[in-house]
Amino acid sequence: MLGTQLPFAFLAASGGEETLSDVIMHHVSNSEVHLPAWLDPYLHSTFEALGITKAVLMMFIASAILIVLATVFLRRPTAGREAPRGMANALEVIVVFVRDEIAIDNMGEKWGRRFTPFLLTLFLFILVCNLLGLVPGGFTATSNLNVTGALAIVSFVTFMVTGLIALGPIGFVKHMVPAGTPLAIAPVVVVLEFISMLVRPIALMVRLGANMTAGHIVILIILGFIFMFQTVVLAAISVPLAAAITLLELIVALIQAYVFTLLTALYVGMLVADEH
């Protein structure tokens, strides 16, 4: 996220100095990709024509990483093969956790097993995107509201379509009205419940994007103090503090992937609860 050119980020091309806010926006905004010089003549025009920004590039990288991990480490074991070790064992722990603690626990056995592949993909994709933002020179795709908004729409469509399939159109509307609600206020309750459903993807979008942006901005500000005051004395405080916040960001990356996946499973579970 911080990139490899932070010490020189305050130097503008004209020889002037950029402000701290300019540097922060450079690292957290979804701008075009700046390719290495030896790649630029071949790929710059292609990236520009396809509209590939930093967020899009990091999502491609995250997808490639997941495809490799799934292909190499999550293959179906053959008969007589020994128990998985190393990375395969770690990924299996994640699979079992998502299946048992998120999917089945919130959606029931039937729907939980059906949705485990989707929820696992959602969890791992968000987690890898979050972690890539901590790699020097990387960018946190999930700090961009376009990305988190697309993920939230996928979540919204998933629980809406699942509810319509599981309950039927009439049952879906009935589900919005609690038992014992007077008939006179039932239409109002349905409208309020529908508004509540529309708010859910917005909350998912803003929560993930804000949490993945805030920590990186704090790190940039803390390190930026060294260059603002132009003294290495502050490095003795800023660098250890930034390192500590970076470690905290590792935990935040995991928690935010878990929360997004958990809420998606919970929203689906609320609609199919009658079938648990």
Side-chain angles (χ1 to χ4, degrees):
M1 177 67 196
L2 300 181
T4 57
Q5 298 180 339
L6 181 61
F8 312 99
F10 290 85
L11 300 179
S14 61
E17 293 188 352
E18 295 178 326
T19 65
L20 180 57
S21 61
D22 293 332
V23 177
I24 292 175
M25 290 307 300
H26 170 74
H27 287 284
V28 302
S29 61
N30 184 27
S31 58
E32 65 179 11
V33 179
H34 297 285
L35 299 173
W38 59 277
L39 283 176
D40 191 78
Y42 304 98
L43 295 180
H44 180 75
S45 59
T46 303
F47 275 39
E48 185 177 358
L50 297 177
I52 297 178
T53 61
K54 292 189 292 186
V56 174
L57 179 62
M58 299 312 292
M59 285 192 290
F60 282 154
I61 295 175
S63 300
I65 291 174
L66 291 179
I67 291 172
V68 171
L69 290 177
T71 303
V72 176
F73 297 107
L74 290 181
R75 292 175 296 181
R76 185 180 297 274
T78 57
R81 186 180 176 183
E82 62 181 7
R85 297 179 180 179
M87 180 61 72
N89 187 46
L91 290 175
E92 187 170 305
V93 170
I94 296 176
V95 172
V96 172
F97 173 77
V98 172
R99 182 193 66 190
D100 295 344
E101 302 300 327
I102 297 181
I104 295 178
D105 194 43
N106 292 281
M107 303 166 66
E109 183 76 18
K110 174 184 174 182
W111 290 97
R113 290 190 176 276
R114 288 182 179 180
F115 273 87
T116 294
F118 168 73
L119 295 175
L120 182 64
T121 303
L122 191 64
F123 175 81
L124 289 176
F125 179 75
I126 295 175
L127 178 61
V128 173
C129 285
N130 292 349
L131 294 177
L132 285 176
L134 298 175
V135 177
F139 177 77
T140 310
T142 45
S143 67
N144 185 269
L145 292 182
N146 293 313
V147 175
T148 59
L151 292 170
I153 290 174
V154 170
S155 176
F156 175 75
V157 172
T158 298
F159 65 74
M160 290 293 287
V161 172
T162 304
L164 289 171
I165 293 175
L167 304 175
I170 297 178
F172 186 84
V173 175
K174 288 183 178 179
H175 181 81
M176 296 182 181
V177 183
T181 302
L183 185 60
I185 65 172
V188 178
V189 174
V190 171
V191 172
L192 293 177
E193 184 64 23
F194 186 72
I195 294 175
S196 174
M197 288 185 175
L198 294 178
V199 170
R200 291 172 186 173
I202 298 175
L204 288 174
M205 174 185 69
V206 175
R207 179 188 292 107
L208 179 58
N211 279 284
M212 297 315 302
T213 303
H216 298 304
I217 291 178
V218 171
I219 294 173
L220 286 168
I221 291 176
I222 291 175
L223 293 178
F225 287 151
I226 301 173
F227 306 97
M228 285 181 61
F229 295 101
Q230 299 182 353
T231 173
V232 297
V233 176
L234 286 176
I237 300 175
S238 296
V239 173
L241 187 57
I245 296 177
T246 301
L247 293 177
L248 180 62
E249 282 294 288
L250 289 172
I251 302 175
V252 172
L254 178 61
I255 291 176
Q256 291 306 313
Y258 168 73
V259 169
F260 195 101
T261 309
L262 175 66
L263 290 177
T264 300
L266 184 61
Y267 293 153
V268 175
M270 291 170 61
L271 293 173
V272 300
D274 295 337
E275 295 192 8
H276 283 194

